[in-house]
Amino acid sequence: MTISLGESRLKSTPKILLCLAGLAVFALLPWTMGVYNQHVLIVCLFYTMMAASWNLLAGYTGQVSFGHAAFAGIGAYVSGILVVKAGLNPWGGVVIGTLCAAAFGFLVGLLCLRMGGIYLSLTTLGFSEILHIVINNEYEITRGTMGLQVPGLIENYSKIAYFYIFLAGALITLAVVYRLVHSNAGLNFRAVQNDERAASALGVDVVRTRLLAFTVSSALAGMAGALYGHYMLLITPHLPSLDQQFLVLSMTVIGGLGSFVGPVIGAFSLEILSEYIRAWGEYHVLVFGLVALFVARFAPKGIVGIYKAWRGKYRAATA
Amino acid sequence: MELIKGVGITKHFGGVKALSGVDFKVEQGTIVGLIGPNGAGKTTLFNIVAGAFPPTSGTVHFEGVDITGLPAYKICRRGVARTFQVTRPFGEMSCVENVAVGVVNHQPDASRAVWTQRAVECLRIVGLEGFESTEARHLNVVQKKKLEIARALATGPKLLMLDEVLGGLNSQEIQDAITFIRNLRDQLGLTILWIEHVMGAIMQATEKVIVLDQGRILMNGSPEEVVNDSRVIHAYLGD
Ligand SMILES: Nc1ncnc2c1ncn2[C@@H]1O[C@H](COP(=O)(O)OP(=O)(O)OP(=O)(O)O)[C@@H](O)[C@H]1O
Ligand SMILES: [Mg+2]
């Protein structure tokens, strides 16, 4: 049977080899650069986790949540507080932070079940704002805008070690997303996104499908946030902020909503770009947001979509 | 044995009384036509049987079990499949994937190879071979109706409910479609409840016809009885 079912599955051997080679080169990269560039790479990997997990929710099930940065915040603060106040091992903190983010994701998903489109977005936005207010005001526990100082994940601080931790985190995130999207559940995700009524008429449990996506996506954001906190050694309310939310959204949309590599491309290009335009202050998020709006309107599949269309034309021309 | 039975089914949409106390049943292994003028409530009856929404009052029994008000996916998994009058393809998914959604919720353990094979088979049954990797939004209206049927078959139904699947076909194609639908019953053993405006097709293919008018059962009987009944002629032609 020669039916192409999503290109990623076909011609797989050369493609996998190419990916592994690329990964090997990438894994050696930090040895060739200074600490500043190492830091940029680590942050790129953090945003890869954030964008890939948001894409699972927004790109594959069509639930445009504005609470993703908030879930990262939950992961970071839960882990940080447990480590600082209860003396937990930071790795244990990351695990519990991830689980807490999953639990909150499940609850918010439950709240949003009957909602779609703008209502879901507004509810998650509200959740995000509430969390922000709580963190700012519970000064005793969270240290408010001062930020919570937390210990690192490893004894001897080293950017290279953190790079590998974040690389592992990003690979785990991508693997979870890939497995889910290519499993039978992935078919249900896309069916629900395309048409909920038709999906349920074909036996899809829409409630379960949406909750699964919400919970897994939030857990992955929680893990990213917890790792980030223990890397920066300081957790501030800027992590669960709308700034971060819109940055992650822009990365995913510009890279390619609903595509597997899109969020990775978006995370790297926008993070690296924002290092160059840091001088503009927070305006760069605004600029990215505007670009994302433009992309969503004129090239809804982002950079990946543009590339695919271009390659299609090229092939047609040379065939 | 009756496969499906509705008693006193009533549905109000605000002030609109779409159905008022409808009683009906479909015997196992039969092809039953459901006809009636526009707005009679035929599609609404399908929606209630399939669980798209609950009735205002009344009950539906499938294989003797009360399924009234169950969510659509549970009713589907029990063996009731339906097509949509206005087709609802998953536009951005390929035809194989569209059909596979039905397969994987019927056989949750199916591997990719298994569901692909089954989906390809369902597409072949309805005559959509060659469109396996085409995105559903690129199909024309007739092809989309075929895809609806392929997806419904993929859920492994006992009862298949077809809502106006002949639209857009010429007379030869209608003949083929009649043979096709009879084969679904004769070869796959399905029971079929079929809404159709093309009276000739209903006359040829069905054993029994239910006539709805303004949300009530006007009559039911053999196709011959129905087409010759003055009340039916009156309902269709008006005063
Ligand atoms: N979801 C809904 N909300 C409000 N009114 C509805 C809804 N669905 C159907 N109706 C109304 O119920 C009545 C019956 O509609 P239905 O679609 O069941 O008719 P039908 O017999 O299938 O007609 P047709 O032959 O045109 O398909 C109509 O007056 C219709 O406007
Ligand atoms: Mg109708």
Side-chain angles (χ1 to χ4, degrees):
Chain A
M1 200 155 299
T2 51
I3 293 154
S4 103
L5 294 163
E7 315 215 0
S8 46
R9 281 276 158 154
L10 242 54
K11 312 170 281 176
S12 42
T13 324
K15 242 191 174 169
I16 286 175
L17 284 179
L18 205 69
C19 281
L20 285 179
L23 189 61
V25 171
F26 181 72
L28 294 174
L29 219 51
W31 298 94
T32 68
M33 44 178 63
V35 281
Y36 173 71
N37 285 334
Q38 288 171 346
H39 169 74
V40 173
L41 273 190
I42 292 170
V43 177
C44 284
L45 289 168
F46 164 69
Y47 283 120
T48 298
M49 293 187 235
M50 291 296 287
S53 51
W54 190 71
N55 185 41
L56 180 67
L57 195 59
Y60 288 101
T61 68
Q63 305 181 90
V64 180
S65 158
F66 284 166
H68 208 59
F71 293 118
I74 288 176
Y77 274 102
V78 165
S79 177
I81 290 166
L82 284 176
V83 172
V84 171
K85 310 267 169 183
L88 194 73
N89 172 296
W91 288 103
V94 171
V95 172
I96 295 180
T98 304
L99 293 177
C100 273
F104 269 95
F106 179 81
L107 292 176
V108 174
L110 209 57
L111 188 69
C112 295
L113 262 189
R114 307 260 164 250
M115 302 174 196
I118 189 73
Y119 299 102
L120 182 135
S121 301
L122 288 177
T123 306
T124 48
L125 191 79
F127 167 74
S128 166
E129 277 306 282
I130 291 169
L131 189 81
H132 211 250
I133 293 168
V134 170
I135 291 171
N136 274 329
N137 289 325
E138 289 301 316
Y139 182 85
E140 297 291 308
I141 307 170
T142 63
R143 297 270 142 206
T145 45
M146 294 283 294
L148 181 70
Q149 281 191 309
V150 296
L153 289 163
I154 36 183
E155 294 281 318
N156 305 309
Y157 188 89
S158 124
K159 291 263 193 247
I160 296 229
Y162 271 107
F163 170 83
Y164 288 115
I165 291 171
F166 275 74
L167 182 59
L171 289 177
I172 289 170
T173 302
L174 290 173
V176 168
V177 171
Y178 189 88
R179 287 267 344 218
L180 256 183
V181 169
H182 287 86
S183 70
N184 294 352
L187 277 175
N188 289 343
F189 281 177
R190 291 165 60 208
V192 166
Q193 178 181 22
N194 272 260
D195 188 330
E196 275 189 24
R197 270 193 67 199
S200 56
L202 291 172
V204 178
D205 185 344
V206 174
V207 168
R208 195 170 162 272
T209 303
R210 292 181 64 170
L211 274 182
L212 178 68
F214 231 109
T215 309
V216 173
S217 158
S218 306
L220 293 171
M223 178 178 80
L227 290 175
Y228 190 71
H230 290 292
Y231 164 62
M232 298 299 276
L233 308 182
L234 181 74
I235 307 168
T236 71
H238 185 246
L239 178 59
S241 71
L242 286 181
D243 256 14
Q244 291 289 333
Q245 174 62 54
F246 285 113
L247 186 54
V248 170
L249 179 150
S250 306
M251 286 168 168
T252 315
V253 170
I254 293 172
L257 195 63
S259 107
F260 181 71
V261 285
V264 184
I265 294 172
F268 274 81
S269 42
L270 261 59
E271 164 54 21
I272 291 170
L273 202 63
S274 56
E275 292 300 324
Y276 283 102
I277 55 179
R278 182 115 310 186
W280 301 5
E282 288 305 320
Y283 281 113
H284 70 272
V285 177
L286 188 72
V287 173
F288 290 162
L290 289 174
V291 175
L293 264 180
F294 188 78
V295 169
R297 173 68 184 78
F298 295 104
K301 301 250 163 92
I303 294 175
V304 170
I306 293 169
Y307 168 73
K308 280 191 176 160
W310 170 81
R311 194 188 50 183
K313 272 195 199 132
Y314 175 79
R315 283 206 181 141
T318 53
Chain B
M1 192 196 97
E2 58 207 22
L3 187 62
I4 190 125
K5 179 176 155 192
V7 178
I9 297 175
T10 299
K11 182 71 190 181
H12 296 173
F13 293 109
V16 179
K17 295 181 175 166
L19 292 172
S20 315
V22 168
D23 298 327
F24 79 100
K25 60 185 182 203
V26 176
E27 297 289 326
Q28 170 94 42
T30 56
I31 302 179
V32 174
L34 178 58
I35 66 168
N38 288 333
K42 305 179 294 293
T43 300
T44 303
L45 188 60
F46 267 26
N47 281 329
I48 287 169
V49 171
F53 42 66
T56 307
S57 63
T59 58
V60 184
H61 283 76
F62 180 67
E63 296 183 307
V65 180
D66 188 352
I67 58 163
T68 321
L70 285 184
Y73 79 93
K74 284 193 178 163
I75 293 179
C76 170
R77 290 180 188 184
R78 282 175 180 270
V80 179
R82 60 92 57 95
T83 66
F84 289 96
Q85 179 177 357
V86 179
T87 57
R88 309 183 74 114
F90 304 126
E92 278 151 42
M93 297 167 72
S94 71
C95 289
V96 161
E97 289 169 334
N98 264 268
V99 178
V101 173
V103 181
V104 298
N105 288 287
H106 174 57
Q107 302 169 259
D109 302 327
S111 67
R112 193 182 187 85
V114 169
W115 62 245
T116 306
Q117 196 190 1
R118 177 77 186 122
V120 169
E121 191 183 321
C122 291
L123 286 173
R124 188 184 50 73
I125 292 174
V126 301
L128 277 180
E129 57 264 273
F131 291 91
E132 286 82 357
S133 34
T134 307
E135 280 189 12
R137 66 198 160 101
H138 296 307
L139 299 179
N140 66 32
V141 179
V142 172
Q143 291 163 339
K144 280 180 182 156
K145 296 213 169 194
K146 290 181 175 175
L147 183 64
E148 287 278 332
I149 300 177
R151 293 198 308 192
L153 292 176
T155 66
K158 295 168 186 156
L159 175 69
L160 176 62
M161 301 198 291
L162 303 171
D163 196 345
E164 295 194 28
V165 288
L166 299 186
L169 300 184
N170 66 33
S171 55
Q172 180 55 49
E173 288 164 337
I174 288 178
Q175 281 310 313
D176 296 344
I178 291 168
T179 312
F180 169 77
I181 288 168
R182 290 200 73 108
N183 281 343
L184 289 180
R185 192 267 305 274
D186 299 339
Q187 288 168 16
L188 301 181
L190 300 185
T191 303
I192 294 169
L193 180 59
W194 183 11
I195 297 177
E196 198 55 69
H197 279 301
V198 183
M199 278 304 285
I202 292 290
M203 290 290 294
Q204 282 183 57
T206 67
E207 281 101 32
K208 194 186 134 189
V209 178
I210 299 171
V211 188
L212 265 182
D213 182 34
Q214 295 179 26
R216 293 175 192 280
I217 299 279
L218 191 63
M219 72 169 295
N220 62 64
S222 72
E224 293 74 23
E225 285 166 358
V226 165
V227 283
N228 294 319
D229 194 283
S230 61
R231 288 168 300 175
V232 176
I233 296 166
H234 187 74
Y236 266 93
L237 299 180
D239 298 303

